Every structure is written in C-alpha cells, then in structure tokens.
C-alpha cells in the first residue's frame, strides 16, 4: 500500500466505526481486558479488524501485530520479532480518553522491515490532524514538513497518550516524554515521527529504540 493509501484507510475506518461512537458509547460497548481498568471498546475491536484485513489483503506476506489481537492471544507478541515485514496497529490509542469523551486519542499504524520502523502514520480523528513519517524522507503534519531542530524548544512534558504525545514533541509543543511501557504499537509510529523531525528516542543511557527490543525506559527528546 502506498503511504497515502494507508492514511486514507485509517481515516475511512475512523469515520466508519470510531467517530460514530465518540461520546455515544452504550452499555456493554466498554469492557476491561485482562487487567482491570485496561479498557477496550467496540470501536477498538472493529477498527483493528478493518485495518488489519486491508493491510493483509495488500501485504499477505507481512505480519500484522494489533493491540487487541495480542490482548486475546499474548503469544503473538513473542512471535513477531523475527518477522522480516511487520505492520503494527493501534486502533484507538488513548482508549481511556476516548471513553471519557476527550478528543485526545488517535489511530496509529507503523511498518517495520528487518527490525526498523520505515513508515508510520498517526491520525487524530477529532483534531482532524495527520502525522506521517518515512525513514530518510522526513516527517509531516497535514502535508507540511516538520523540523524539530528549527522549532522553539519547550520544557513542557507529555502525559496524555502516545498518539498525542509524540506529535506534541515533534512539533515543539512539548520538550520531552518518558514511558515505562514500551509496546510496539504504542511507540513504533511516534518514534519514527520524532526521529525524522530531528529528535531522538531511546533510553536514558543512550540506547536507541528498536521495536523488537526497546529499552526498559523509553525517553523522547531533542538531539544533543
């Protein structure tokens, strides 16, 4: 799939199954996963199926690693790391925000080849804002190239969800962020966006981020 095709897919899926549920979720449409308080909605599940099916149809050789699929079968998380070609899918990043009626949530997809993120997409459906990155070709917000190095720096930190936080750092609205949880569908999309915008992602000791073997503490910041 071409880069624009993936973004269009995410936008179409959001219009079909995510946006109609925003602030209208009914009883039984929000449940917890394996851990109490780890929420999932009917929108998460339906969006992941639609995105996954479309990617598999276009790339039958690729592994598609979706957050909700892993929540049902955790062994998928252990098997994907050796695959040559992978797509990660986070159908609704910031589900808790989505359930609360906050617009701060996103649909995220990343493409990984030979262990490195090569393309990524973040669509914020309520903000109507798209972030796209391609390794070696730059990072973009709604078609405008981002360059963190030329932006005014801020000391503000993040604390919302990855689909909101990474773009805030990449655009200079926040200066840094850190996460103890390093699931690939959360961090692969934003890591490429940020590094292509001139930032860096890795551990406090300087270990670079890789989706299959992320540092225990993930830190995003401007380059030194």
């Amino acid at each position: 799939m071409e880069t624009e095709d993936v973004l269009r897919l995410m936008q179409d899926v959001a219009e079909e199954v995510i946006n109609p549920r925003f602030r209208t979720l009914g009883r039984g449409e929000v449940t917890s996963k394996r851990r109490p308080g780890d929420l999932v909605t009917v929108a998460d599940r339906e969006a992941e199926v639609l995105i996954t099916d479309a990617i598999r149809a276009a790339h039958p050789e690729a592994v598609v690693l979706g957050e909700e699929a892993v929540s049902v079968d955790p062994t998928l998380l252990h098997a994907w790391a050796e695959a040559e070609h992978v797509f990660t899918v986070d159908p609704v990043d910031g589900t808790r925000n989505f359930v609360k009626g906050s617009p701060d949530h996103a649909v995220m997809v990343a493409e990984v080849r030979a262990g490195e993120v090569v393309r990524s997409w973040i669509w914020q459906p309520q903000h109507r804002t798209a972030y796209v990155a391609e390794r070696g070709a730059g990072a973009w917000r709604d078609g405008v190239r981002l360059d963190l190095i030329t932006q005014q720096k801020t000391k503000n930190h993040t604390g919302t969800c990855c689909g909101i936080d990474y773009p805030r750092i990449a655009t200079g609205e926040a200066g840094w962020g850190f996460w103890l949880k390093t699931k690939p569908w959360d961090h692969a999309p934003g890591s490429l966006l940020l590094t292509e915008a001139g930032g860096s992602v890795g551990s406090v000791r300087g270990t670079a981020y890789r989706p299959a073997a992320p540092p225990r503490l993930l830190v995003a910041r401007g380059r030194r």
Side-chain angles (χ1 to χ4, degrees):
M1 298 178 75
E2 298 295 328
T3 300
E4 286 301 315
D5 294 335
V6 177
L7 177 59
R8 192 174 304 112
L9 167 66
M10 296 163 64
Q11 292 170 330
D12 290 346
V13 168
E15 285 297 320
E16 181 178 349
V17 301
I18 296 174
N19 292 346
R21 271 65 177 260
F22 183 53
R23 296 175 177 166
T24 66
L25 288 165
R27 181 176 297 180
E29 292 187 323
V30 182
T31 57
S32 291
K33 293 189 262 192
R34 291 175 179 267
R35 291 181 298 133
D38 189 5
L39 301 180
V40 62
T41 73
V42 63
D44 295 75
R45 293 195 172 105
E46 290 183 3
E48 181 168 303
V49 169
L50 291 171
I51 294 171
T52 296
D53 287 351
I55 292 175
R56 282 179 174 160
H59 300 277
E61 84 293 349
V63 172
V64 182
L65 187 72
E67 178 180 7
E68 305 315 327
V70 171
S71 73
V72 175
D73 182 5
T75 63
L76 295 173
L77 190 57
H78 305 299
W80 76 279
E82 297 180 1
E84 180 66 23
H85 190 194
V86 179
F87 284 87
T88 67
V89 178
D90 192 339
V92 182
D93 181 62
T95 298
R96 186 176 296 277
N97 293 341
F98 180 70
V99 170
K100 290 180 177 179
S102 167
D104 289 341
H105 54 269
V107 185
M108 301 199 298
V109 174
E111 182 180 16
V112 181
R113 288 187 179 270
E116 291 193 348
V117 187
V118 295
R119 293 192 293 173
S120 71
W121 302 261
I122 299 174
W123 172 239
Q124 299 171 346
Q126 310 312 320
H127 298 302
R128 310 297 297 177
T129 305
Y131 296 87
V132 177
E134 294 190 45
R135 180 169 292 278
W140 309 80
R141 177 178 62 185
D142 294 334
V144 178
R145 186 161 185 164
L146 300 175
D147 186 354
L148 184 70
I149 294 175
T150 64
Q151 295 166 5
Q152 183 178 0
K153 300 298 190 299
T154 174
K155 294 183 179 180
N156 294 335
H157 63 85
T158 61
T160 305
C161 64
C162 290
I164 299 296
D165 291 345
Y166 274 104
R168 289 186 65 217
I169 299 171
T171 58
E173 296 175 53
W176 57 276
F178 70 92
W179 298 267
L180 294 174
K181 297 179 181 179
T182 54
K183 294 295 190 291
W185 49 80
D186 284 328
H187 296 284
S191 68
L192 184 64
L193 178 76
L194 183 55
T195 55
E196 286 295 318
S200 62
V201 181
S203 74
V204 292
R205 297 180 181 274
T207 304
Y209 170 77
R210 289 178 65 86
R216 184 176 179 84
L217 179 63
L218 196 64
V219 178
R221 59 188 182 278
R223 286 180 180 157
R224 296 175 183 175

